[in-house]
Amino acid sequence: MEDSTASTRQPRGEIETLPSGSLRVRVYAGVDPITGKRIHLTETIPAGPDAQAEAEQIRDRLLAERDAKRRQRAAPTGQSPRHLRRTASGSDTETPQPATGAAPRAPGTRRGRRRGEMTVARIARLAGVSAPTVSKVLNGRSGVASETRRRVESVLREHEYRRPEMVVAAASVEVVFYGMQSNLAIEILHGVQRVVGLHKLAVGFTDVGSQAALGRSWAADLLARRPTGVITAHFDVAPEEHSLLAASGIPLVALDPTGQPSHDVPSVGATNWSGGIVATQHLLDLGHRDIAVISGPLDRLSGRARLEGARAALDSAGVGLDDRLVRLGLFSFADGLEHGEDLLTRPDRPTAVLCGNDLQALGVYEAARRHGLRIPEDLSVIGFDDIPNAQWCGPPLTTVRQPLADMGAAAGAMVLALAAGQRPEQPRVELATTLVVRESTAAPGRR
């Protein structure tokens, strides 16, 4: 709860004033015997002159419901406390225990509304708009003013609304890229298709780079297509986008997010830190000590982890990373070429260059060619990713392989599980990277 939120605690319940002016009634209902977390019965009342009186009446009713449930559980024939479950809006309701061996909900369907959950009508009251306007926002349709849309989205986030009605989703999973790079995207899409195709679902993709430049919401555009699930690749999802998808019941998985997700989004990545270690250790084992590193952007988890892995390996060997030989850049051929030119014109030029990805390594190849240096006789080069070009260039590039197709498959399996109403056992999955030794590395030659 934000600091600005006022609360009036009562001996037998709590009435909170939300930032929007609405009142939320919370009644403590005990501890979940499985999770160990406190559970509450809650309801929200729109702001108004009679809101306080209505909140007090609702508090009395919720207290009576709680006491009735306690008496029922205490009776010999009563239900176990495990039947008390929190709904998506934060309230608690009794739900029947599924039969042993019951199958999870099939992907492509949404569950029905449970008692006590937020409705479109209540969201409309809280936002001061009509129910059809809320429906337009939830379905990504036009005809809603920007300010009105933002107000509705704010209420949806504040009350953690989840679409309750049964909705048939499109038989597809959408993979969303930001600035789509074909060398990585194709492998990821193949991996996603490998899994979701078994469920007779199609795979679509979207590049949201142009939409962001125009100030458009990619999540709002996706709502109109209503995919079974969404996988975002190589970028961070804003809380507003995440809340909009969650409100419409569309599950989301992040593949190699650039930063640590600030919200509850499962993610799939690779062991970038370990990859940086094994690549650097390979150069050390060959006898290199003057090792330069061209890193990716440090605001990306992968770039920072690969650089820190290289640093750890050099420190462990007692060599240390020479900061004069470290360059920061984008994961691009152009930055590899620029930084390669800079490093190779130094009087104490390095004998090896460890690159943040294969595109940077190919840029270093070109810098070496321009300066008449032979790879690997005069300069060893290592990349990261193992894109197809890595084995076709001359000489074939030693690199660290990211299992991109397997990462796509893992993300596909995770999003299908979410669509079926299951939560992943691990919110973060990292797949192993491997060193692929080819012909671009050798012992340092004489200068």
Side-chain angles (χ1 to χ4, degrees):
M1 190 63 61
E2 297 181 7
D3 293 339
S4 60
T5 300
S7 66
T8 303
R9 293 188 177 275
Q10 303 292 339
R12 303 179 64 211
E14 179 179 326
I15 299 176
E16 303 169 314
T17 302
L18 302 175
S20 62
S22 303
L23 300 181
R24 175 181 290 163
V25 181
R26 286 163 39 97
V27 171
Y28 175 66
V31 177
D32 190 304
I34 298 176
T35 65
K37 295 182 179 180
R38 294 190 175 200
I39 50 180
H40 295 82
L41 301 170
T42 70
E43 283 199 25
T44 305
I45 300 92
D50 301 324
Q52 184 66 33
E54 183 179 353
E56 292 174 358
Q57 293 176 357
I58 290 176
R59 186 187 65 209
D60 292 341
R61 175 170 58 78
L62 293 180
L63 286 168
E65 290 181 7
R66 181 200 64 184
D67 293 342
K69 290 174 182 176
R70 287 179 174 176
R71 288 193 297 270
Q72 183 180 16
R73 290 197 299 269
T77 58
Q79 289 183 318
S80 166
R82 75 177 59 194
H83 291 266
L84 191 63
R85 287 292 180 266
R86 178 169 294 182
T87 66
S89 66
S91 64
D92 298 298
T93 184
E94 289 200 8
T95 56
Q97 190 76 357
T100 303
R105 188 172 65 251
T109 62
R110 312 281 184 232
R111 60 166 178 80
R113 182 168 64 87
R114 295 175 182 147
R115 182 170 61 85
E117 288 188 327
M118 272 285 177
T119 64
V120 168
R122 183 173 285 272
I123 290 293
R125 287 178 59 198
L126 294 170
V129 299
S130 67
T133 298
V134 175
S135 180
K136 286 182 179 180
V137 173
L138 287 171
N139 290 288
R141 295 200 299 267
S142 59
V144 181
S146 299
E147 180 58 34
T148 302
R149 186 180 296 274
R150 283 193 293 269
R151 187 166 72 251
V152 173
E153 290 175 354
S154 177
V155 174
L156 291 170
R157 288 194 302 275
E158 181 178 303
H159 297 281
E160 298 180 347
Y161 173 84
R162 299 295 182 267
R163 182 188 290 271
E165 67 270 17
M166 294 300 293
V167 176
V168 178
S172 67
V173 169
E174 193 91 13
V175 184
V176 183
F177 299 91
Y178 189 99
M180 188 173 179
Q181 293 182 330
S182 60
N183 52 293
L184 303 180
I186 292 175
E187 286 295 305
I188 291 171
L189 290 171
H190 282 164
V192 176
Q193 176 62 41
R194 192 170 77 205
V195 170
V196 306
L198 297 176
H199 297 266
K200 302 187 184 304
L201 300 179
V203 177
F205 68 89
T206 301
D207 188 341
V208 302
S210 58
Q211 291 174 306
L214 296 174
R216 291 169 52 191
S217 168
W218 60 265
D221 287 347
L222 281 183
L223 294 183
R225 298 199 289 275
R226 298 214 54 80
T228 295
V230 172
I231 299 170
T232 58
H234 306 134
F235 73 97
D236 285 337
V237 178
E240 296 80 9
E241 310 281 14
H242 170 243
S243 297
L244 194 54
L245 292 174
S248 294
I250 300 176
L252 173 67
V253 172
L255 190 151
D256 193 19
T258 56
Q260 187 67 36
S262 58
H263 34 70
D264 185 22
V265 175
S267 62
V268 177
T271 54
N272 291 291
W273 186 76
S274 298
I277 287 180
V278 297
T280 308
Q281 189 61 53
H282 173 65
L283 294 174
L284 290 168
D285 292 343
L286 290 172
H288 291 277
R289 294 300 180 267
D290 299 321
I291 301 173
V293 178
I294 301 178
S295 172
L298 296 188
D299 60 352
R300 294 189 57 164
L301 284 176
S302 57
R304 186 164 65 249
R306 293 169 194 178
L307 174 60
E308 291 308 312
R311 189 188 304 277
L314 289 167
D315 287 346
S316 179
V319 176
L321 179 60
D322 187 344
D323 289 335
R324 297 171 299 176
L325 299 180
V326 177
R327 300 292 184 272
L328 305 180
L330 300 177
F331 287 129
S332 67
F333 176 91
D335 277 27
L337 173 58
E338 177 185 346
H339 292 311
E341 290 265 14
D342 181 39
L343 290 166
L344 298 182
T345 54
R346 293 177 56 90
D348 56 343
R349 66 172 175 82
T351 62
V353 180
L354 176 63
C355 298
N357 77 341
D358 292 343
L359 294 179
Q360 288 181 344
L362 294 177
V364 173
Y365 266 47
E366 175 60 16
R369 185 194 66 80
R370 293 182 182 183
H371 289 273
L373 298 176
R374 300 165 302 164
I375 298 174
E377 292 85 355
D378 303 316
L379 180 71
S380 288
V381 181
I382 294 186
F384 207 110
D385 285 339
D386 196 24
I387 63 176
N389 291 25
Q391 56 185 316
W392 299 335
C393 60
L397 177 66
T398 295
T399 186
V400 177
R401 175 179 294 156
Q402 276 202 97
L404 295 169
D406 291 341
M407 290 163 64
M414 196 176 284
V415 82
L416 290 182
L418 291 172
Q422 303 169 347
R423 293 297 302 175
E425 294 182 1
Q426 295 180 326
R428 169 73 176 178
V429 174
E430 289 193 347
L431 303 185
T433 53
T434 54
L435 178 67
V436 181
V437 179
R438 296 193 177 103
E439 300 173 25
S440 66
T441 51
R446 294 181 180 179
R447 303 211 176 173

